Amino acid sequence: MDSRSIVAPGAQMEKLGDGYKFTEGPVPDKDGNVFFTDQPNNKIIRWDAETGKFSVFSDNAGRANGMYFDKKGNLVACSDEENQVWSFDKNGKPTVLVKDYEGKLLNGPNDLWIDAKGGIYLTDPLYKRDYWKRDPAMQQDGQHVYYLNPKTKKLTRVDEKLKKPNGIIGTKDGKKLYVADIGDSKTYVYDIQKDGTLANRTLFVSKGSDGMILDEEGNLYITGDGVTVFDTKGEQIAHFPVHKGWTANICFGGKNRDMLFITAETAVYGLKMKVKGVAGY
C-alpha cells in the first residue's frame, strides 16, 4: 500500500546485508552512512552510503540499541548492558552520559532522540536481557520517558504514565515529540516546552511501534509488522511488508537521504523513496 506514491517509481525492497543476530538502532551520519547495532553480538556496524559495504565501528558497544548523532558527530547510544546511555566519539571510544536516575539503575534505555539544544529524550522500558549481571526485576517504579538537560546534565522524567514506551522521534523544528507506547498499542504526540518538558499529550494513532522516523513531509514511519506510514493527521498512507518476522527499526540513509534503511532481525533492507528523511546535524 502506497496511496501517496512516496516510494520511488519501480523501487523494490532490497536486502542490503545479513548474517547478524538481531539488528537495531539505525541512524545516518551527516554524509548518509548508516550506523546500526547487532545487539546480541555487542557490535555497532557501519554501512557505507557510497559503496554499500559494511564495517565494524565498535565491537564493545555496551549492547547498544537505539542511537542518534549529536551536533559534534558523536554517536549517542542506549547501551543497556549496564543500563546506561553512552556517547561514542568518531574513533568508537565511549563515554558514559547517563548511569542512573536518582541513584537507581534505569530499567534498560531503549531508544532516544536529541533536540537542537543537545537535550536527550529517552525511553526506558523493561526487556529482560540474558546478559545482565544485575537483578532482572524492574529497577524504577515504572517504565517512563526521560529528558537529559544539556546544560545541567540532570535527568528528569517527562512522562510517567505510559505502560511500555519504546520508539521515540522529534520534529526538526523541535516543537513536537512522538512516543510509541508499545505496551498499550498506542503512539502519542506531545508539545515540547522551552524547558524540555512535555505538554498536551495527544493520541496520534492506536498502534505501537519499536523504532520510528519522520520524513521531510512530516509523515511518521512506525515498525513491528513491516513499516507503516501515517501522515501528519494520523491517516495511514502506506504499508511496506519487509519479511515474515519482526521489523525493529528504520532511518533514512544514503547520500541523498532517500533510502529507507530497515533493520529486521538477522538482516538489513533498503527501499528507495521519493520523499527524503529530515537532515540531521
Side-chain angles (χ1 to χ4, degrees), residues 89-129:
D89 67 16
K90 291 175 183 178
N91 298 315
K93 182 184 176 184
T95 301
V96 177
L97 297 183
V98 175
K99 64 174 185 175
D100 58 28
Y101 175 73
E102 295 189 346
K104 290 183 179 179
L105 287 177
L106 291 167
N107 297 317
N110 187 278
D111 203 0
L112 57 81
W113 175 72
I114 303 176
D115 66 21
K117 300 172 188 172
I120 301 173
Y121 291 89
L122 65 104
T123 58
D124 186 44
L126 178 67
Y127 292 100
K128 294 179 181 178
R129 309 297 194 188

Side-chain angles (χ1 to χ4, degrees), residues 9-21:
Q12 298 287 326
M13 190 73 66
E14 176 189 358
K15 185 185 284 187
L16 302 175
D18 60 11
Y20 304 104
K21 203 162 182 184

